[in-house]
Amino acid sequence: MERQPFVFTGLWDVWRKPDGTPVESFTVITSEPNELLRPIHNRMPVILRPQDEGKWLDASRTPFVKAKALFKPYPAELMDAHDVSTIVNSAKYDGPECIQPVSKDEIPSPGQLSLL
């Protein structure tokens, strides 16, 4: 496995409030999860294969119907997953420690609440 970054599909827009103030907004497009992520969550970001990135980014050449065909789960066999620290639940953390693998005994058990 190459362990390269993924490209997610998303939409970005600028719209104006009634008072004229611009608002920048962004959303990540999701799909049903693949086999790897299904035990973790009921949806996952739409991840593009490298050969599909240009189709998504060039809206002038790609009709919506073809772009929408990209909205499918990324192949599980091309992904890897591991447990991470609960620090990912706090916006104050934004560093490499957020993606470092942790052992099972470092993860709170179901029903155990954490304030982190």
Side-chain angles (χ1 to χ4, degrees):
M1 189 169 301
E2 292 184 33
R3 302 187 63 85
Q4 295 297 312
F6 293 129
V7 174
F8 292 171
T9 57
L11 299 172
W12 174 81
D13 195 15
V14 177
W15 54 278
R16 298 201 177 273
K17 293 181 181 182
D19 68 2
T21 306
V23 176
E24 293 187 29
S25 61
F26 178 81
T27 187
V28 173
I29 298 171
T30 61
S31 72
E32 63 182 279
N34 62 22
E35 301 80 29
L36 180 66
L37 296 182
R38 191 169 292 121
I40 301 169
H41 204 276
N42 65 350
R43 59 189 173 133
M44 67 180 285
V46 172
I47 300 170
L48 296 175
R49 291 175 176 255
Q51 64 267 26
D52 293 329
E53 293 170 11
K55 295 174 193 169
W56 177 252
L57 292 172
D58 189 354
S60 67
R61 292 186 342 195
T62 308
F64 177 72
V65 173
K66 287 189 176 184
K68 190 176 176 186
L70 302 173
F71 299 175
K72 56 189 172 193
Y74 196 75
E77 62 273 9
L78 299 178
M79 298 177 71
D80 184 22
H82 59 262
D83 293 319
V84 295
S85 168
T86 56
I87 66 170
V88 300
N89 298 329
S90 174
K92 69 181 180 181
Y93 295 102
D94 186 23
E97 66 276 11
C98 291
I99 62 170
Q100 295 303 313
V102 296
S103 65
K104 295 279 186 204
D105 59 337
E106 295 177 80
I107 307 233
S109 61
Q112 180 181 353
L113 300 178
S114 172
L115 296 176
L116 291 179

